[in-house]
Amino acid sequence: MPNYKEGLNRHQQLLFPPSMDEYVDENNPVRAIDSYVDSIDLATLKVFTSKGGSEGQPAYHPALLLKIYLYGYLNSI
């Protein structure tokens, strides 16, 4: 498995608010994007086939990049 950068745990306890997950409203479209991308199997679709290199910084996980891309597209960013 490629060596990808790890994101923060959204359920990790912080000082304010108690978790990062509480920053996002329950009805925010970003939750639908997160659930949708997590539900599809990117390896089966062969969308992201790079094995990544062992030199330099690790890459971001393709699912995370897809989530950011979809969020930006839906918000005209």
Side-chain angles (χ1 to χ4, degrees):
M1 174 143 188
N3 185 19
Y4 294 118
K5 289 184 180 182
E6 294 291 325
L8 293 175
N9 181 353
R10 293 189 311 252
H11 304 291
Q12 179 179 348
Q13 296 297 311
L14 301 173
L15 184 59
F16 297 107
S19 72
M20 287 184 62
D21 202 39
E22 293 182 20
Y23 279 117
V24 181
D25 186 36
E26 291 295 323
N27 297 323
N28 195 309
V30 76
R31 294 194 184 270
I33 294 169
D34 186 47
S35 296
Y36 172 70
V37 173
D38 287 343
S39 71
I40 58 178
D41 186 10
L42 296 175
T44 302
L45 295 175
K46 297 182 181 176
V47 176
F48 301 103
T49 58
S50 175
K51 299 294 183 198
S54 61
E55 297 177 3
Q57 280 193 323
Y60 288 101
H61 194 280
L64 175 64
L65 295 174
L66 180 59
K67 291 174 187 181
I68 293 169
Y69 178 79
L70 291 173
Y71 178 81
Y73 183 79
L74 289 174
N75 290 288
S76 302
I77 297 175

